[in-house]
Amino acid sequence: NADVAVTVNPQITTGENRQQLTLVGAGSLVTLSHNTGLNLAGGVPYRIDSGSILVLLWNTATLVWDERSRTTP
């Protein structure tokens, strides 16, 4: 499987206040960047690999998905 870098802005469409989104890696490596709709821990890109789990929560006040947790195999 090929690596995928998400380059659109926003990377993930808007949500509802306090909506949770869980991304689970399966197959391709997907790289998400801080900003462009995402508030990632440490402000650095995150690569979702097989078995990785990224939990995001929509923040209506800031209009971004805030990272809540991540698990990397």
Side-chain angles (χ1 to χ4, degrees):
N1 294 334
D3 290 0
V4 177
V6 180
T7 58
V8 296
N9 185 5
Q11 295 173 82
I12 301 170
T13 193
T14 59
E16 307 253 340
N17 193 40
R18 306 215 31 94
Q19 178 181 358
Q20 180 175 299
L21 175 65
T22 303
L23 303 175
V24 179
S28 299
L29 293 172
V30 177
T31 302
L32 299 171
S33 299
H34 178 72
N35 291 325
T36 61
L38 296 177
N39 180 26
L40 298 177
V44 296
Y46 179 60
R47 287 180 54 158
I48 301 173
D49 196 355
S50 287
S52 297
I53 300 171
L54 179 65
V55 178
L56 305 167
L57 190 68
W58 179 251
N59 185 330
T60 301
T62 58
L63 301 177
V64 297
W65 288 98
D66 290 325
E67 180 178 337
R68 304 307 290 169
S69 66
R70 66 172 72 180
T71 304
T72 304

